[in-house]
Amino acid sequence: MGLKTFKPYTKSVRGTVLVDKSQLWKGDSYKPLTVGQHSTGARNNMGRITSRHRGGAHKHKYRIIDFHRSKRNIKGVVERIEYDPNRTSYIALIKYEDKDMKYIICPQKLEVGDTVEAGKNVEIKIGNCLELIDIPQGSAIHNIELVPKSGGKMARSAGSSATLTGFDGDHAIIRLGSGETRKVSSKCMATLGSVSNPDQKNIKIGKAGRTRWKGQRPQSRGVVMNPVD
């Protein structure tokens, strides 16, 4: 969707770079899949602060995401693509043939009106979810399960993906974006493509805070007057 810059009217926006979200859904989230989110205030079950300097922050409504891709072998159509304040990637609202609605992690190049499907013997295309054994080697995947039927755990943040490099018996070998190699069951599910919003890493929020001097602070340049004789 591109990046958005600003004219330097003030120091704070001189270096500001944001992601252009003009093409995203501008209305409210889908209410049956939205719940309130309780803020702990950085306190544990005894009311004691366990992580300092964390206050109430902005109120978020949590969107329930279908990381399991539980609707198997039922085609769904992308109704809209939304911003989610709880994660860096975008989410897509899917309407299935049985009129059920689900949120999923939105892959790159997925557009409104596209069809997605999860299960066995589905088409190899972006947004579809299959078992690793059915995915061609070298494919980019995301939302990968660590244990079958446990829901996607790996490669869910903005712009991330992993590569299916091969198979070793009943296990699939996956190379993550960090270069780490993981071996998981070939019965685990994964979604084809990379996660949306790859420009998240290019965001600059503008002017930084006060400069913190390293080492000794420089002396002031005051003028010293010589005494008059």
Side-chain angles (χ1 to χ4, degrees):
M1 294 185 179
L3 297 172
K4 182 169 59 174
T5 58
F6 301 85
K7 292 183 178 180
Y9 290 123
T10 64
K11 294 180 180 180
S12 60
V13 299
R14 183 180 301 276
T16 300
V17 179
L18 301 177
V19 176
D20 184 13
K21 300 183 177 69
S22 60
Q23 298 181 11
L24 298 179
W25 172 256
K26 296 179 176 59
D28 293 334
S29 59
Y30 184 62
K31 194 169 183 179
L33 295 176
T34 306
V35 295
Q37 190 174 24
H38 175 68
S39 174
T40 62
R43 289 161 173 80
N44 62 7
N45 61 338
M46 299 180 67
R48 296 171 180 168
I49 295 177
T50 55
S51 180
R52 297 193 305 159
H53 311 300
R54 292 183 178 272
H58 198 286
K59 185 177 181 180
H60 291 167
K61 295 179 181 178
Y62 185 77
R63 281 77 166 166
I64 301 173
I65 309 296
D66 184 17
F67 294 116
H68 292 76
R69 297 298 294 267
S70 55
K71 307 293 289 186
R72 302 294 171 86
N73 296 107
I74 301 177
K75 291 185 177 180
V77 179
V78 180
E79 287 284 298
R80 62 199 192 207
I81 298 174
E82 300 182 15
Y83 168 78
D84 187 353
N86 304 288
R87 63 195 73 252
T88 55
S89 64
Y90 301 139
I91 57 176
L93 182 64
I94 309 298
K95 184 176 182 179
Y96 291 93
E97 292 177 339
D98 58 357
K99 308 302 181 183
D100 197 6
M101 308 283 276
K102 295 285 185 181
Y103 275 126
I104 66 169
I105 296 290
C106 182
Q108 293 182 33
K109 300 181 181 180
L110 190 71
E111 298 180 355
V112 176
D114 289 350
T115 303
V116 296
E117 189 177 1
K120 296 286 290 184
N121 302 319
V122 302
E123 184 182 355
I124 304 297
K125 71 173 188 177
I126 292 176
N128 283 359
C129 185
L130 305 87
E131 291 184 356
L132 291 172
I133 192 65
D134 298 326
I135 298 177
Q137 296 184 29
S139 300
I141 53 178
H142 67 277
N143 192 37
I144 308 162
E145 292 181 335
L146 288 173
V147 178
K149 300 181 181 180
S150 66
K153 299 292 191 300
M154 294 189 294
R156 302 193 321 196
S157 61
S160 65
S161 66
T163 304
L164 179 62
T165 58
F167 296 92
D168 183 10
D170 294 334
H171 292 80
I173 301 173
I174 298 171
R175 185 175 71 249
L176 304 180
S178 62
E180 178 186 355
T181 300
R182 300 292 296 268
K183 187 184 288 188
V184 299
S185 172
S186 57
K187 296 295 184 181
C188 291
M189 302 286 287
T191 306
L192 290 164
S194 301
V195 184
S196 57
N197 194 20
D199 286 323
Q200 174 73 18
K201 62 183 179 181
N202 298 321
I203 289 180
K204 296 179 182 178
I205 59 174
K207 182 182 176 183
R210 294 174 55 189
T211 303
R212 295 185 178 181
W213 298 99
K214 295 182 180 180
Q216 186 178 2
R217 190 180 182 90
Q219 300 296 324
S220 60
R221 297 181 179 180
V223 178
V224 179
M225 301 297 293
N226 293 325
V228 178
D229 295 336

